[in-house]
Amino acid sequence: MTASAERSPTLQLACDLIRRPSVTPVDADCQAQMMHRLGAVGFALEPMRIEDVDNFWATHGTQDGPVLCFAGHTDVVPTGPVQQWQHEPFDALIDADGMLCGRGAADMKGSLASMVVASERFVRDYPDHRGKVAFLITSDEEGPAHHGTKAVVERLKARNERLDWCIVGEPSSTDLLGDVVKNGRRGSLGATLTVRGKQGHVAYPHLARNPIHLAAAALAELAGEHWDEGNAFFPPTSFQISNLNAGTGATNVVPGELTALFNFRFSTESTVEGLQQRVAAILDRHQLDWSIDWALSGLPFLTEPGELLDAVAASIKQVTDRETRPSTSGGTSDGRFIATMGTQVVELGPVNATIHQVDERILASDLDLLTEIYYQTLVRLLA
């Protein structure tokens, strides 16, 4: 294991954060530590505890000029069975292969440490930088995400705060640091569909209406529907049924209801209203007695090539000599809330191979490279 004295400032801070067991929505004073560091170099600090969620907003600079925001979360997912880990999940150890091990190393305490150290260095080197450097940090990204970034963004909008660019520290890299940045995400629209029939005895099917039989053709049509073509940035919209439930548990009873859970991951080529209307038309065409509860987790967003993406790509090239690839793959992130402010949003962080897994780990040396990439991006945009 690497001795603490040999660790870089970024690595020391990452280890300190990992050692705090901040399982969502608990923050475990991670944000207090970050705010202490940022406050010491002149950031104005605004803690925002909303319900049971800790958040903070911090800024350095003036109202004039653009705003570059670093966004992220201090909460982590549960560890799962601790006995399955090679090391204690919150010990923040660096193994013989130079890997930083611990829950949150990749997702995303390593990125948080890199953001803080890069920003400390930048405001010391450029105390009169143009615009603002900002931080938007939550402890509610891995949970319901109701009282975290979404709620903070609503407050910022209400007072007409401006966010021009945002770097979210989600682990975007696939094989090597910086090989992929996320410049958008698909929308996520979930639904709980109920199809009603009539319960009865299987021996007397003429006295019952089986909702499984009734719904089967409609569900098959939904699964086979071509929703859109996608575009240059997004794959075609996908539809997936994730759960079907019906019956009483007995083999001789026709169920009275069927419940189906399904989800759209949709591109900017489709709208929520359009998808909902097309689903209703298919269900009606099959003459079903149905009802549906929709749940929108987030709208799709896209940051096209421009100032932010160009600055990030140039910084990655400078630091790693790698050409980065923009991608909109993967699930949702808090970037979906920030994008509603008209903000250019990208996600840039460590390799994501072990996120949410037992023995989460990243290459420790990558964090110093990530710090330098963040710093050079600050220089390009605000110096």
Side-chain angles (χ1 to χ4, degrees):
M1 305 304 170
T2 303
S4 177
E6 299 172 0
R7 296 176 184 173
S8 68
T10 299
L11 197 51
Q12 288 183 34
L13 179 55
C15 290
D16 288 344
L17 293 173
I18 291 168
R19 292 192 182 106
R20 299 175 184 272
S22 55
V23 177
T24 190
V26 174
D27 169 66
D29 286 332
C30 292
Q31 292 180 27
Q33 188 174 21
M34 294 177 66
M35 285 190 286
H36 176 75
R37 295 280 293 260
L38 293 171
V41 292
F43 276 77
L45 307 172
E46 185 179 358
M48 295 188 192
R49 184 166 176 86
I50 303 173
E51 299 293 334
D52 62 344
V53 175
D54 288 305
N55 310 285
F56 79 82
W57 170 248
T59 59
H60 186 284
T62 67
Q63 296 291 342
D64 299 326
V67 179
L68 171 59
C69 177
F70 288 108
H73 59 92
T74 54
D75 59 321
V76 298
V77 296
T79 64
V82 174
Q83 63 272 19
Q84 294 184 11
W85 287 67
Q86 294 183 38
H87 311 291
E88 288 294 320
F90 297 108
D91 274 359
L93 298 175
I94 300 173
D95 68 15
D97 296 321
M99 304 298 287
L100 172 61
C101 309
R103 176 58 85 225
D107 191 12
M108 54 173 285
K109 291 180 176 180
S111 296
L112 295 179
S114 293
M115 292 172 176
V116 169
V117 174
S119 297
E120 288 173 330
R121 177 182 163 198
F122 177 74
V123 300
R124 289 186 180 118
D125 290 350
Y126 300 92
D128 299 319
H129 63 83
R130 71 190 189 109
K132 283 185 180 180
V133 184
F135 276 73
L136 196 171
I137 307 297
T138 183
S139 66
D140 184 35
E141 197 273 347
E142 301 289 8
H146 296 315
H147 305 302
T149 301
K150 179 181 180 181
V152 174
V153 164
E154 289 170 355
R155 292 190 180 188
L156 297 178
K157 285 180 179 178
R159 62 198 201 194
N160 296 317
E161 290 274 4
R162 173 181 169 185
L163 264 70
D164 297 278
W165 307 305
C166 181
I167 299 174
V168 185
E170 291 292 343
S172 62
S173 304
T174 301
D175 298 309
L176 298 168
L177 179 70
D179 59 357
V180 172
V181 297
K182 304 291 187 181
N183 67 322
R185 295 280 191 161
R186 294 175 295 173
S188 177
L189 177 63
T192 301
L193 168 67
T194 300
V195 177
R196 289 173 287 273
K198 183 180 179 182
Q199 184 173 315
H201 198 293
V202 296
Y204 302 93
H206 60 288
L207 299 177
R209 295 178 64 247
N210 192 320
I212 301 173
H213 296 182
L214 296 170
L219 293 175
E221 185 173 344
L222 288 167
E225 182 76 357
H226 187 72
W227 302 97
D228 61 42
E229 297 288 345
N231 56 36
F233 299 99
F234 288 96
T237 290
S238 68
F239 170 92
Q240 288 293 314
I241 299 170
S242 57
N243 188 276
L244 286 175
N245 186 54
T248 64
T251 61
N252 61 349
V253 178
V254 174
E257 283 189 349
L258 174 141
T259 301
L261 306 183
F262 61 82
N263 179 269
F264 286 102
R265 292 301 168 104
F266 63 103
S267 74
T268 49
E269 297 298 307
S270 289
T271 65
V272 172
E273 297 76 14
L275 293 172
Q276 291 173 337
Q277 290 168 6
R278 290 173 66 181
V279 168
I282 290 172
L283 297 173
D284 285 341
R285 189 158 57 245
H286 289 269
Q287 299 181 325
L288 300 177
D289 179 7
W290 62 275
S291 61
I292 196 165
D293 292 321
W294 294 98
L296 177 64
S297 297
L299 294 168
F301 69 90
L302 176 68
T303 296
E304 298 195 35
E307 292 172 304
L308 178 60
L309 200 55
D310 290 350
V312 167
S315 298
I316 291 170
K317 177 67 174 176
Q318 177 182 340
V319 176
T320 69
D321 199 32
R322 292 170 193 145
E323 300 290 343
T324 194
R325 177 173 62 86
S327 171
T328 62
S329 64
T332 60
S333 78
D334 276 358
R336 68 192 189 273
F337 304 125
I338 298 166
T340 64
M341 299 181 71
T343 308
Q344 294 180 38
V345 179
V346 300
E347 299 171 22
L348 170 61
V351 173
N352 57 27
T354 62
I355 58 173
H356 293 206
Q357 295 182 18
V358 167
D359 292 332
E360 181 178 349
R361 59 188 57 210
I362 57 172
L363 190 62
S365 58
D366 275 354
L367 291 187
D368 288 330
L369 296 177
L370 184 60
T371 301
E372 187 66 22
I373 292 168
Y374 288 158
Y375 175 82
Q376 294 300 333
T377 302
L378 283 162
V379 170
R380 282 182 165 82
L381 292 173
L382 295 181

